C-alpha cells in the first residue's frame, strides 16, 4: 500500500400569497350588498379598479434585515441559488431538476433558537423561471417576503428563529404558480433550530432481574449529545422524458419516493457486495445505484455503533404521509416542535410538511431498515439501511485482510473505514457526536460533490478500487 493510500485510509478511518395572485382583484366577490351602508366607500373601491386584498406597499418592510431587535443577536447568513439542472434518475437517464444550490435537498441551515436568519436567494440571469423561498422556521408576512425572485436578481430577508425544531423550506414557485412543480422537482430543504437550553438526555426503557429474582424496570439514560442524521422524504412525479408529471401528482400516482432527493439512496452497493465476498452479486434486494461510475450518486449505507444515542431529524416534504418505522427497532423518543410526543413507540406519523426528531439507541449489532411503512413508498424508494455495530463476519475478515479493520474497531462501526454519506449528516451543532469520516454522496452537481471532497469527504469510487488494487 503506497503513501497516498495510507493517507486515504487515515481520512477514511477516521404562501406566497403573492401580489401576482392574491393581488388580483376580489371585486367580483364584493357585491354592492356588502357595502350598501356606505355608497361612497363602494364608489371609491370602484374608482380604484377593485379591492386589493393585499397591498404590497404596506408590507415593504416585511422580513427587513434592518431591525433594532437584531442588534445583540447572532446573525446567521444563509445564501442560496435557485437553479435548474439535470440530475440522474432511477433506472437511467436524467430528470429536469430544480434545486437550491445544485443539490436536492438544498443545504441544511442550523441555528440556535434566538438567532437571526439572514436568507439571500439569488436566481442567476440564465435561469428560465423565477423562484422564491418560503421558510417555515420564520414568522413573517408571506407577502412580499416569500415572493418571486426574478432571474438576474437576488432577494434577502431576515427573521428570528424563535421556536426550536425542524422546519421545511421550499420554493414558492412564481408567486405560488407552479409551486408544486418546483418543490417536487427538488426545491426543498430544512432548517434545524436547536433549543436555546440544549437537547435533553434520553431515557431508554429496559428491564433487569434484580438480586431477589424479580424482573424490574432498568431505565437507562444517555446524554443529550448524539450521532446525528437528517432524512427528508418527498415524492417524485416524472414523465418518461424526466419532466414533471402534473397529471400523476394530482392523481397521487408516485413515480418514486425520494429519501434525501434519491430513491433508495442508502442501500448497499457493489463495494459492499465485494467486501462481503459476493462480487457481482447483490447482497440486498434493491441495489439500483450500484456502480462506481455513478460517483456521488452511488447508494451508500448508514453506519452507527450500538449503544450510542442517535438523533434523526426527519421532514416530510411530500403530499403523502410518512409512517416512519425502523425494522427491528423501537423509537425511543419522538419530538415534534419543542414537545416530546412519545417515548417508546413503533411507528410515528408525519403528514405533509411535518417534521420530527427521533432519538434512539440501536441495541444489537445488525441490519436495520428505516422505512415509510406504506408499501407503495417502500418499494418506490423509502428504504434506508442502517448497519449497527460490526455485524458482518465476512466484511470483518475482508477488512482485516486489507489492513483497514482498526478504524472500524476503534469506532464500533464500518464508518471508521468507509465513512458515512455526507448528505445524511446535518451540519454539526454543539451536541453533535462527530462522525469518524464522511464519504461523498448527494443528489447534486459535480461541483457540489467536489466541494464535499474538498472538505475531506472520501470519494469511495476512487479510494476503494485503489485500496483493493494496492492490497492485491
Ligand atoms: Cu422555484
Amino acid at each position: 500500500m503506497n503513501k497516498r493510500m495510507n493517507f486515504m485510509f487515515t481520512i477514511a478511518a477516521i404562501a406566497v400569497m403573492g401580489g401576482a395572485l392574491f393581488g388580483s382583484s376580489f371585486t367580483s366577490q364584493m357585491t354592492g350588498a356588502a357595502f350598501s351602508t356606505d355608497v361612497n366607500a363602494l364608489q371609491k373601491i370602484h374608482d380604484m379598479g377593485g379591492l386589493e386584498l393585499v397591498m404590497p406597499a404596506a408590507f415593504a418592510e416585511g422580513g427587513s434585515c434592518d431591525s433594532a431587535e437584531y442588534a445583540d443577536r447572532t446573525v446567521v447568513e444563509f445564501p442560496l441559488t435557485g437553479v435548474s439542472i439535470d440530475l440522474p434518475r432511477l433506472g437511467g437517464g436524467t430528470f429536469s431538476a430544480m434545486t437550491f444550490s445544485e443539490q436536492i435537498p438544498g443545504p441544511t441551515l442550523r441555528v440556535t433558537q434566538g438567532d437571526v436568519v439572514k436568507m439571500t436567494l439569488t436566481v442567476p440571469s440564465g435561469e428560465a423561471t423565477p423562484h422564491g423561498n418560503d421558510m417555515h422556521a420564520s414568522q413573517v408576512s408571506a407577502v412580499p417576503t416569500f415572493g418571486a425572485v426574478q432571474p438576474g436578481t437576488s432577494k434577502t430577508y431576515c427573521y428570528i428563529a424563535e421556536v426550536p425544531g425542524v422546519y421545511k423550506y421550499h420554493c414558492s414557485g412564481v408567486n405560488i404558480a407552479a409551486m408544486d412543480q418546483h418543490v417536487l422537482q427538488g426545491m426543498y430543504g430544512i432548517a434545524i433550530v436547536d433549543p436555546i437550553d440544549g437537547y435533553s438526555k434520553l431515557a431508554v426503557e429496559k428491564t433487569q432481574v434484580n438480586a431477589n429474582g424479580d424482573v424490574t424496570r432498568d431505565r437507562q439514560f444517555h446524554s443529550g449529545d448524539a450521532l446525528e442524521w437528517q432524512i427528508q422524504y418527498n415524492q417524485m412525479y416524472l414523465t418518461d422524458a424526466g419532466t414533471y408529471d402534473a397529471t400523476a401528482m394530482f392523481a397521487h400516482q408516485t413515480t418514486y419516493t425520494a429519501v434525501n432527493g434519491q430513491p433508495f439512496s442508502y442501500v448497499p452497493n457493489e463495494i459492499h457486495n465485494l467486501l462481503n465476498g459476493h462480487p457481482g452479486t447483490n447482497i440486498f434486494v434493491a441495489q439500483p445505484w450500484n456502480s462506481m461510475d455513478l460517483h456521488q450518486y452511488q447508494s451508500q449505507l448508514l453506519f452507527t455503533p450500538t449503544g450510542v444515542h442517535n438523533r434523526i431529524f426527519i421532514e416530510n416534504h411530500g403530499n403523502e404521509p410518512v409512517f416512519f418505522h425502523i425494522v427491528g427497532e423501537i423509537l425511543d423518543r419522538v419530538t415534534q416542535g419543542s414537545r416530546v410526543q412519545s417515548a417508546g413507540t413503533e411507528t410515528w406519523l408525519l403528514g405533509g410538511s411535518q417534521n420530527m426528531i427521533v432519538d434512539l439507541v440501536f441495541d444489537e449489532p445488525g441490519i436495520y431498515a428505516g422505512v415509510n411503512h406504506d408499501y407503495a413508498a417502500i418499494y418506490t424508494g423509502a428504504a434506508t439501511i442502517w448497519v449497527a455495530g460490526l455485524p458482518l463476519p465476512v466484511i470483518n475478515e475482508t477488512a482485516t485482510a486489507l489492513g483497514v479493520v482498526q478504524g472500524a474497531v476503534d469506532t464500533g462501526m464500518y464508518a471508521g473505514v468507509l465513512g458515512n454519506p455526507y448528505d445524511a449528516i446535518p451540519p454539526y451543532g454543539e451536541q453533535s457526536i462527530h462522525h469518524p469520516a464522511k464519504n461523498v454522496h448527494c443528489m447534486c452537481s459535480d461541483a457540489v460533490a467536489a466541494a464535499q471532497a474538498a472538505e475531506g469527504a472520501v470519494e469511495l469510487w476512487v479510494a476503494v478500487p485503489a485500496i483493493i488494487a494496492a492490497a492485491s
Side-chain angles (χ1 to χ4, degrees):
M1 187 182 301
N2 63 30
K3 276 186 178 153
R4 176 163 166 71
M5 282 309 97
N6 272 320
F7 175 69
M8 283 180 164
F9 272 153
T10 305
I11 293 173
I14 43 182
V16 181
M17 306 326 174
L21 244 97
F22 278 30
S24 62
S25 167
F26 271 58
T27 307
S28 61
Q29 294 170 35
M30 300 294 177
T31 64
F35 286 87
S36 58
T37 55
D38 189 344
V39 174
N40 285 337
L42 194 61
Q43 186 59 45
K44 282 177 189 166
I45 292 167
H46 184 264
D47 292 346
M48 285 195 313
L51 182 68
E52 294 259 312
L53 181 65
V54 296
M55 293 168 286
F59 296 101
E61 295 305 307
S64 168
C65 293
D66 182 21
S67 168
E69 261 197 286
Y70 300 164
D72 294 319
R73 295 173 185 266
T74 301
V75 177
V76 179
E77 305 252 0
F78 189 46
L80 298 170
T81 55
V83 59
S84 300
I85 57 174
D86 286 342
L87 287 171
R89 65 178 289 177
L90 190 67
T94 61
F95 74 102
S96 308
M98 292 184 174
T99 73
F100 284 111
S101 304
E102 301 184 14
Q103 56 192 288
I104 306 174
T108 295
L109 171 67
R110 187 159 194 175
V111 299
T112 301
Q113 182 181 10
D115 287 351
V116 175
V117 175
K118 184 177 185 181
M119 195 293 303
T120 298
L121 175 61
T122 300
V123 181
S125 55
E127 180 67 8
T129 173
H131 300 284
N133 186 9
D134 173 349
M135 297 197 73
H136 290 196
S138 69
Q139 297 174 90
V140 295
S141 168
V143 179
T145 316
F146 304 148
V149 180
Q150 297 298 321
T153 70
S154 67
K155 177 178 191 170
T156 299
Y157 64 77
C158 290
Y159 62 90
I160 298 171
E162 296 281 14
V163 187
V166 184
Y167 295 93
K168 169 180 185 157
Y169 69 84
H170 65 95
C171 183
S172 45
V174 186
N175 294 324
I176 75 169
M179 177 168 63
D180 55 325
Q181 176 183 1
H182 288 225
V183 175
L184 293 164
Q185 295 290 92
M187 296 191 79
Y188 56 88
I190 55 169
I192 297 168
V193 182
D194 290 328
I196 201 164
D197 49 0
Y199 292 99
S200 50
K201 63 185 177 184
L202 174 66
V204 177
E205 291 289 337
K206 294 286 181 187
T207 58
Q208 64 179 357
V209 180
N210 69 14
N212 299 328
D214 301 323
V215 177
T216 61
R217 172 181 278 160
D218 178 27
R219 200 171 266 162
Q220 296 179 359
F221 291 91
H222 297 258
S223 94
D225 295 356
L227 191 73
E228 294 176 323
W229 309 92
Q230 54 182 1
I231 299 290
Q232 302 180 48
Y233 290 96
N234 206 356
Q235 282 83 48
M236 299 174 74
Y237 303 96
L238 297 181
T239 65
D240 289 345
T243 56
Y244 176 59
D245 189 340
T247 304
M249 188 282 288
F250 279 109
H252 284 245
Q253 290 175 337
T254 305
T255 311
Y256 310 124
T257 301
V259 179
N260 290 347
Q262 185 178 17
F264 299 109
S265 42
Y266 307 114
V267 297
N269 65 47
E270 66 174 352
I271 293 170
H272 310 115
N273 299 340
L274 197 62
L275 294 174
N276 204 39
H278 293 82
T281 305
N282 285 3
I283 54 172
F284 184 70
V285 62
Q287 293 189 207
W289 306 89
N290 197 20
S291 166
M292 304 282 189
D293 297 337
L294 291 168
H295 295 187
Q296 69 265 32
Y297 311 114
Q298 184 175 33
S299 58
Q300 296 297 343
L301 288 165
L302 308 179
F303 300 118
T304 181
T306 55
V308 165
H309 181 182
N310 284 259
R311 179 163 38 241
I312 316 172
F313 300 98
I314 305 173
E315 177 76 43
N316 178 12
H317 293 283
N319 48 7
E320 301 287 350
V322 170
F323 315 115
F324 185 77
H325 175 71
I326 298 181
V327 180
E329 260 300 340
I330 288 172
L331 311 181
D332 291 315
R333 184 171 70 193
V334 174
T335 305
Q336 287 182 310
S338 55
R339 293 288 182 273
V340 172
Q341 302 294 320
S342 186
T345 193
E346 58 174 326
T347 299
W348 204 254
L349 167 65
L350 294 181
S353 296
Q354 204 173 10
N355 70 84
M356 64 179 167
I357 300 171
V358 168
D359 293 273
L360 87 158
V361 175
F362 290 92
D363 299 276
E364 299 283 337
I367 312 294
Y368 299 87
V371 299
N372 176 356
H373 217 300
D374 165 339
Y375 299 101
I378 293 173
Y379 294 116
T380 55
T384 298
I385 305 295
W386 273 277
V387 178
L390 302 165
L392 304 168
V394 177
I395 288 188
N396 297 346
E397 288 164 20
T398 307
T400 303
L402 289 171
V404 298
V405 75
Q406 198 56 44
V409 170
D410 289 347
T411 59
M413 57 175 155
Y414 296 115
V417 175
L418 297 170
N420 271 320
Y422 189 103
D423 60 346
I425 303 169
Y428 290 134
E430 281 190 15
Q431 290 172 274
S432 306
I433 296 174
H434 288 217
H435 292 251
K438 298 180 184 179
N439 60 62
V440 175
H441 185 263
C442 52
M443 182 48 67
C444 66
S445 67
D446 289 346
V448 173
Q452 292 182 0
E455 275 185 43
V458 182
E459 294 172 319
L460 288 177
W461 65 91
V462 177
V464 169
I467 289 166
I468 291 168
S472 62

